[in-house]
Amino acid sequence: MNARVLVIEDNPANMELVRYILNKFGYEVDAAIDGESGVQMAQAFTPGLVICDLQLPGMDGFEVVRRLKAMPQLRQVPVLAVTAYAMVGDRERVLAAGFDGYIAKPIDPQYFVQQVAAVLGAATPSAAPPLGTSVATVGQRLPAMRAQALVLDDSVINLQLLRSLLEPHGIRVRAATTIRQAMALLDEHTPDLIISDMHIGQELGEDFYALVKDRPALAAVPFMFLTSTVPRELRDLARGPQGVDRFITRPIDNLHLLAEIESCLARQSGR
């Protein structure tokens, strides 16, 4: 299997997310920010897979796949389409255009890797490192921890993404994959910030939020939701003096997320 993947994506945050996920599962990633350069790179080294956004400046994804499939040396290279504008019939139109698969944004990291492995005809690889290990490079020391965040998410990849983003900035992550685990961690220690997904397996983030706010000792701890969608009725959670502090939608813009987290921590410390 050629595990070298060419990603054609003009959005830096989306590119960073895809690169991070693929690297964690052992894939080598080459990046192109537009269709023209993507086609040129594919000609230069023949990747094992091309992942291409449909909405690109200049040459769009449909023209990219048309050109790739017209070249004898690239005709057999699978091409996955990625788009944020999923509509009824889009999948059929994408496949008819020559793509080998279709991925809708926001990307679900675990399902995304399964799709990549399936297109390459390989078993889904295992990610490393496991939950609870540091993402620092061997020999690299993490900075002194100045704050602690409890993160609840049933996706190990999402937890690792947050750990890799926050710990180099001095924010230690304590991770939970169920509400029960999260509440047990809260019994042990009061964090400086709580971050939760909206959908944790069959559990709901708003149920976790209600349990947290029912504890007087936790009522003032900033609470942030990371979610792919924010239903209108959940906006009510943000009302009132003890409401949710932030709704951040995926895919995550790292700089924006860090700024929001720093704002919450500053409010918590009274700075």
Side-chain angles (χ1 to χ4, degrees):
M1 177 189 71
N2 181 354
R4 191 171 181 179
V5 180
L6 171 62
V7 180
I8 309 174
E9 170 65 71
D10 66 314
N11 182 293
N14 293 341
M15 175 67 80
E16 183 177 354
L17 175 62
V18 171
R19 185 197 295 273
Y20 179 89
I21 295 169
L22 292 177
N23 285 163
K24 279 296 179 183
F25 282 86
Y27 296 103
E28 181 181 352
V29 178
D30 293 273
I33 61 172
D34 57 55
E36 189 71 42
S37 61
V39 171
Q40 292 174 0
M41 291 176 67
Q43 287 179 282
F45 64 83
T46 309
L49 169 67
V50 177
I51 298 175
C52 184
D53 190 23
L54 290 181
Q55 290 79 35
L56 293 169
M59 184 191 304
D60 66 12
F62 290 101
E63 179 62 17
V64 169
V65 75
R66 188 191 70 78
R67 294 196 186 187
L68 294 178
K69 296 298 184 179
M71 300 177 191
Q73 74 273 28
L74 297 173
R75 191 170 296 152
Q76 301 305 315
V77 175
V79 185
L80 287 177
V82 181
T83 179
Y85 303 101
M87 299 178 66
V88 176
D90 275 0
R91 185 177 186 278
E92 291 72 19
R93 184 167 67 98
V94 165
L95 296 179
F99 286 95
D100 298 273
Y102 175 89
I103 301 172
K105 295 177 183 176
I107 290 172
D108 179 322
Q110 291 178 319
Y111 182 56
F112 172 67
V113 172
Q114 292 172 7
Q115 288 176 294
V116 168
V119 169
L120 289 172
T124 303
S126 298
L131 245 185
T133 59
S134 171
V135 295
T137 304
V138 174
Q140 176 185 351
R141 294 178 61 86
L142 287 172
M145 293 299 142
R146 57 189 173 87
Q148 186 176 109
L150 171 69
V151 181
L152 172 59
D153 197 308
D154 64 325
S155 167
V156 174
I157 300 301
N158 287 343
L159 291 172
Q160 291 290 1
L161 282 169
L162 280 173
R163 190 187 302 279
S164 69
L165 176 65
L166 299 184
E167 292 199 342
H169 291 270
I171 304 170
R172 185 175 302 281
V173 171
R174 302 191 76 195
T177 58
T178 67
I179 291 178
R180 182 176 181 179
Q181 289 177 2
M183 296 307 295
L185 290 175
L186 291 173
D187 286 337
E188 298 172 4
H189 181 78
T190 299
D192 302 288
L193 173 67
I194 298 172
I195 303 174
S196 175
D197 193 9
M198 288 300 304
H199 301 281
I200 310 102
Q202 300 301 313
E203 299 179 309
L204 297 176
E206 57 262 41
D207 293 335
F208 174 53
Y209 170 82
L211 289 172
V212 168
K213 293 305 177 180
D214 193 47
R215 294 190 179 187
L218 300 174
V221 175
F223 195 110
M224 173 185 292
F225 275 122
L226 290 182
T227 179
S228 300
T229 57
V230 185
R232 181 174 299 177
E233 60 270 19
L234 295 182
R235 295 284 186 180
D236 292 339
L237 289 176
R239 298 175 181 172
Q242 295 182 348
V244 173
D245 294 271
R246 299 289 190 277
F247 284 102
I248 307 295
T249 57
R250 292 188 175 100
I252 301 169
D253 181 311
N254 286 349
L255 292 178
H256 173 67
L257 177 59
L258 281 171
E260 296 286 7
I261 287 174
E262 292 293 354
S263 176
C264 288
L265 292 176
R267 194 205 72 179
Q268 174 72 352
S269 65
R271 295 195 299 267

